[in-house]
């Protein structure tokens, strides 16, 4: 009695359990007339064991197949044909087959060959894997087992000595016993869908090691028992990126053997014979390995090596399909390498936009929180700096360039380095802002002249100031100016908060604008908080964080915190204010005069 042709998405383990349990329970209650008198009964323990193992096999098959799943169950009375253990006693056997319709994909237990991690519900099957038989029937592959109960002896659920193991196979067949020509048959029938799956899985992979990992697990066990992928390196060398084997225990020794004998020259011809490594396994029929070049855009990316017990039947159809896979792997590796190269260059350039660290100021504790908005970016439109000027003077700045694109990032680096240059040339706070304003306006005019209306104006908001510390005196004298930037907040020891600068025009709009600075004393225990509009304009519905002096309240709540803790407090308040993600760069600079 069987239940066949169920789609994989409908044949869950629970459905298989119900099917087997119902069949065996029905037969236990009403044995067929063919069972004969004195036949062994189907016990509850036998039913439970059959249901459990069926669930394990179905779970495994669904994970690997991608095709319809067949579950067959039948009852056999009397001793099995190949058994000498019946001893004249009546037996009952439950034979269960779980089949998928993929002719080359293994149904295995224990470790998931796709991820290298134990699969759900496969631990028991892993322990019994050595006792399994795998047989191929045309295009149907079946894992099957037979459970026996002898008259008066119910089947046990585990191999408890001195009892015999409860699982015995009827005519087990070696997993190596694949029919000749199966690869060619599968290439004709399943090749197009396999290539489509390969393209889908490799598309968008931006890490070359991930590409080789996916490729190896796609090819094994469909086309080979094991696979190795070398990738070319600078200097015409070869690096073994991935090794995969149907028997996970052989992966480490196989890698060691292959690393001792890497390709000395690039393989130019598809299907080049390769020496069979001993660690790949010794089988009576021998083994063969073939190498395929990985070439993309006329550049050598590496070598793909496939090995299988017996002789690889490399028909024209199979060769073309493996070449197609190799081209897809090579193109994916090429794309991943290009992405890695561009990312490395981008990160190197971004690192130059911001200082590696903040200068240490005598008597003043500093802290910065910096979160660029762009995914994968280390630098956005915000920028900051704290640098020494000599004579116990330090300069600090916090700015924001209009926009979040790469052009905005290029302006951040220009502005920061230009401020440093002007400051070290002896220009004060007001002069630095005026000259930077002229430079930004001139750059915008040149861009408009070259690109016309397509050019975008680049405005810049900047908070810039100087700190001067007298020897033996706590605190610092501060001069600061704000050009279109949220004003800095001065937190006094008694908890009062005041703006430390007046708002003025953005930089780059009118080159004739004059800027004015404010000066004050930052006494011991007092704090100067500087933020960008990513903090003040953080939204929650129609409200912004700084509405009704919201940032002032946040600062007051953080009174008594050190510089780093206060910066983190403001950052967390900005994130918690809205329910959605932050939509802009977020920067917080804290300058805190150390208390007496």
């Amino acid at each position: 009695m069987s239940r066949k042709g169920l789609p994989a998405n409908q044949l869950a383990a629970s459905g298989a359990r119900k099917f087997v349990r119902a069949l065996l329970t029905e037969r236990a209650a009403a044995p067929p007339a063919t069972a004969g008198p004195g036949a062994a009964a189907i016990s509850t323990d036998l039913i439970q064991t059959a249901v459990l193992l069926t669930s394990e096999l179905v779970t495994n098959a669904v994970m690997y197949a991608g095709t319809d799943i067949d579950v067959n169950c039948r009852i056999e009375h009397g001793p099995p044909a190949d058994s000498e253990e019946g001893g004249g006693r009546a037996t009952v056997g439950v034979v269960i087959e779980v089949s998928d319709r993929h002719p080359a994909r293994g149904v295995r237990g224990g470790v998931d060959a796709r991820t290298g991690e134990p699969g759900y519900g496969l631990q028991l099957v892993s322990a019994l894997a050595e006792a399994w038989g795998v047989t191929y029937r045309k295009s149907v592959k079946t894992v099957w087992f037979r459970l026996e109960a002898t008259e008066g002896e119910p089947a046990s659920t585990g191999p408890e000595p001195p009892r015999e193991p409860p699982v015995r196979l009827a005519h087990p067949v070696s997993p190596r016993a694949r029919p000749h020509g199966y690869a060619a048959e599968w290439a004709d029938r399943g090749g197009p869908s396999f290539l489509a799956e390969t393209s889908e899985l490799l598309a968008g992979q931006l890490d070359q090691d991930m590409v080789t990992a996916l490729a190896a697990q796609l090819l094994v066990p469909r086309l080979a028992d094991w696979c190795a992928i070398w990738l070319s390196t600078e200097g015409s060398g070869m690096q073994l990126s991935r090794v995969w084997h149907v028997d996970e225990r052989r992966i480490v020794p196989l890698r060691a053997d292959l690393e001792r004998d890497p390709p000395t020259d690039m393989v130019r011809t598809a299907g080049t014979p390769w020496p069979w490594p001993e660690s790949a396994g010794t089988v009576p029929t021998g083994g063969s390995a073939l190498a395929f070049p990985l070439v993309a855009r006329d550049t050598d990316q590496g070598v793909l090596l496939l090995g299988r017990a017996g002789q690889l039947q490399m028909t024209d159809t199979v060769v073309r399909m493996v070449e197609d896979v190799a081209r897809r792997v090579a193109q994916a590796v090429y794309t991943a390498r290009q992405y890695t190269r561009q990312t490395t260059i981008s990160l190197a350039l971004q690192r130059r936009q911001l200082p590696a660290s903040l200068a240490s100021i005598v008597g003043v504790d500093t802290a910065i929180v910096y979160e660029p908005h762009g995914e994968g970016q280390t630098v956005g439109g915000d920028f900051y700096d704290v640098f020494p000027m000599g004579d116990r003077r330090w300069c600090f700045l916090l700015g924001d360039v209009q926009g979040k694109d790469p052009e905005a990032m290029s302006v951040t680096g220009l502005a920061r380095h230009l401020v440093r240059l002007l400051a070290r040339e002896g220009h004060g706070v007001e002069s630095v802002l005026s000259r930077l304003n002229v430079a930004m306006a001139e750059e915008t005019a040149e861009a408009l002249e070259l690109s016309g209306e397509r050019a975008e104006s680049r405005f810049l908001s900047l908070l810039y100031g100087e700190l001067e510390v007298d020897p033996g005196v706590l605190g610092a004298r501060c001069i600061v100016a704000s050009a279109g930037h949220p004003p800095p907040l001065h937190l006094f020891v008694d908890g009062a908060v005041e703006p430390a600068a007046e708002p003025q025009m953005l930089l780059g709009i009118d080159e004739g604008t004059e800027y004015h600075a404010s000066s004050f004393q930052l006494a011991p225990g007092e704090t100067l908080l500087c933020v960008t509009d990513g903090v003040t304009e953080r939204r929650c519905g129609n409200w912004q964080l700084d509405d009704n002096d919201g940032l002032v309240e946040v600062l007051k709540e953080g009174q008594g915190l050190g510089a780093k803790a206060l910066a983190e407090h403001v950052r967390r308040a900005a994130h918690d204010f809205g329910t959605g993600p932050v939509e802009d760069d977020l920067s917080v600079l804290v300058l805190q005069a150390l208390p007496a």
Side-chain angles (χ1 to χ4, degrees):
M1 183 174 184
S2 63
R3 181 181 180 184
K4 305 185 65 175
L6 295 177
N9 61 351
Q10 296 180 8
L11 183 59
S14 60
R17 288 197 301 267
K18 292 178 181 178
F19 162 60
V20 173
R21 188 187 302 277
L23 173 64
L24 297 183
T25 302
E26 176 187 351
R27 290 299 178 88
T34 56
I42 300 177
S43 67
T44 302
D45 287 344
L46 181 64
I47 295 175
Q48 293 292 349
T49 303
V51 168
L52 174 60
L53 292 181
T54 300
S55 176
E56 304 295 342
L57 289 176
V58 169
T59 300
N60 191 23
V62 169
M63 288 175 59
Y64 282 89
T67 66
D68 288 353
I69 302 295
D70 295 344
V71 177
N72 300 331
C73 179
R74 67 178 183 271
I75 309 299
E76 294 181 351
H77 289 276
D82 63 340
S83 174
E84 299 178 358
E85 298 147 1
R89 293 178 296 175
T91 62
V92 60
V94 177
V95 178
I96 298 176
E97 299 178 346
V98 177
S99 311
D100 70 53
R101 299 186 180 182
H102 197 298
R105 190 182 308 180
V107 179
R108 296 176 52 83
V111 178
D112 184 348
R114 294 175 181 269
T115 64
E117 298 295 333
Y120 168 77
L122 302 181
Q123 291 80 3
L124 177 59
V125 174
S126 176
L128 301 173
E130 295 299 326
W132 286 2
V134 179
T135 181
Y136 293 86
R137 299 180 179 178
K138 295 182 180 180
S139 63
V140 179
K141 180 164 68 329
T142 305
V143 173
W144 58 307
F145 58 86
R146 174 185 169 117
L147 297 169
E148 283 189 7
T150 305
E151 182 182 3
E153 295 182 7
S156 67
T157 58
E160 299 180 4
R163 299 179 183 177
E164 296 176 349
V167 177
R168 291 197 289 271
L169 298 178
H171 309 292
V173 180
S174 169
R176 302 292 187 185
R178 293 174 174 145
H180 293 293
Y182 92 94
E185 179 186 354
W186 178 74
D188 286 331
R189 296 183 178 182
S193 62
F194 174 65
L195 292 175
E197 181 184 357
T198 301
S199 299
E200 181 180 358
L201 287 176
L202 297 183
Q205 296 298 332
L206 300 177
D207 181 87
Q208 64 178 21
D209 292 329
M210 181 61 71
V211 170
T212 58
L214 289 173
Q217 295 177 46
L218 282 167
L219 293 166
V220 176
R222 286 172 166 174
L223 286 176
D225 291 329
W226 58 270
C227 170
I229 301 177
W230 278 277
L231 295 181
S232 59
T233 60
E234 295 182 3
S236 301
M238 283 286 185
Q239 179 180 2
L240 187 56
S241 174
R242 181 63 53 174
V243 175
W244 200 250
H245 199 292
V246 292
D247 184 353
E248 290 83 0
R249 296 169 297 181
R250 295 187 180 274
I251 292 177
V252 174
L254 178 58
R255 171 178 280 275
D257 281 355
L258 294 175
E259 284 179 337
R260 284 194 294 267
D261 188 22
T264 55
D265 298 316
M266 286 299 301
V267 175
R268 301 298 178 185
T269 305
T272 301
W274 194 269
W276 180 268
E278 294 183 1
S279 57
T282 303
V283 293
T285 57
S288 58
L290 300 177
F292 295 81
L294 298 178
V295 180
R297 302 193 181 185
D298 297 326
T299 59
D300 295 325
Q301 303 299 321
V303 174
L304 168 66
L305 183 60
L306 299 179
R308 191 173 73 225
Q311 296 298 316
L312 283 169
Q313 301 294 323
M314 297 307 292
T315 64
D316 291 342
T317 301
V318 176
V319 170
R320 285 196 301 270
M321 189 180 69
V322 177
E323 287 180 328
D324 285 341
V325 173
R327 279 193 293 271
R328 284 163 170 78
V329 173
Q331 183 60 49
V333 169
Y334 177 86
T335 302
R337 287 178 163 180
Q338 289 293 102
Y339 174 80
T340 300
R341 186 176 297 111
Q342 293 175 4
T343 301
T344 301
I345 295 172
S346 175
L347 292 176
L349 293 175
Q350 289 182 43
R351 282 193 295 267
R352 303 299 299 172
Q353 307 298 313
L354 297 174
S357 61
L358 300 181
S360 178
I361 303 176
V362 177
V364 177
D365 193 11
T366 61
I368 183 74
V369 167
Y370 183 79
E371 291 184 355
H373 170 65
E375 182 178 357
Q377 294 183 356
T378 59
V379 178
D382 290 0
F383 62 100
Y384 63 90
D385 202 356
V386 177
F387 56 93
M389 287 293 297
D391 297 328
R392 306 181 71 82
R393 293 173 57 237
W394 288 264
C395 297
F396 64 92
L397 62 92
L398 184 62
D400 184 6
V401 179
Q402 176 197 17
K404 306 178 183 66
D405 55 8
E407 288 293 330
M409 288 189 289
S410 67
V411 175
T412 64
L414 170 67
R416 187 176 74 86
H417 289 290
L418 184 55
V419 169
R420 279 199 174 206
L421 177 62
L422 292 173
R424 286 170 177 167
E425 288 291 327
H427 295 278
V429 172
E430 297 171 348
S431 178
V432 166
L433 291 181
S434 297
R435 292 176 181 271
L436 183 58
N437 177 55
V438 171
M440 292 291 300
E442 290 177 349
E443 182 175 336
T444 298
E446 291 176 359
L448 290 172
E449 184 178 350
L450 291 174
S451 304
E453 295 181 355
R454 293 178 300 171
E456 294 185 4
S457 301
R458 290 294 177 185
F459 307 137
L460 176 68
S461 72
L462 183 65
L463 183 66
Y464 176 64
E466 294 181 359
L467 288 175
E468 184 175 358
V469 179
D470 293 330
V473 179
L474 296 176
R477 287 195 301 273
C478 183
I479 303 175
V480 65
S482 173
H485 203 82
L489 297 180
H490 185 182
L491 174 63
F492 294 88
V493 176
D494 61 2
V497 176
E498 293 181 359
E502 296 296 327
Q504 300 177 81
M505 183 71 71
L506 286 164
L507 299 173
I509 295 181
D510 181 6
E511 61 181 275
T513 302
E514 296 184 357
Y515 295 91
H516 304 282
S518 303
S519 60
F520 59 93
Q521 186 72 22
L522 191 65
E526 295 181 351
T527 299
L528 186 67
L529 173 66
C530 312
V531 301
T532 57
D533 58 8
V535 175
T536 57
E537 297 179 4
R538 171 73 164 136
R539 302 192 69 87
C540 180
N542 295 326
W543 291 88
Q544 294 185 348
L545 185 146
D546 200 33
D547 289 345
N548 299 324
D549 293 330
L551 184 59
V552 171
E553 296 302 319
V554 171
L555 180 56
K556 288 181 177 180
E557 292 171 359
Q559 186 175 17
L561 298 176
K564 292 182 175 59
L566 180 59
E568 175 60 24
H569 167 72
V570 175
R571 185 198 71 83
R572 176 49 55 193
H575 278 271
D576 292 345
F577 182 77
T579 57
V582 176
E583 298 295 338
D584 197 359
D585 301 329
L586 190 153
S587 302
V588 180
L589 175 64
V590 175
L591 304 173
Q592 189 175 76
L594 297 177

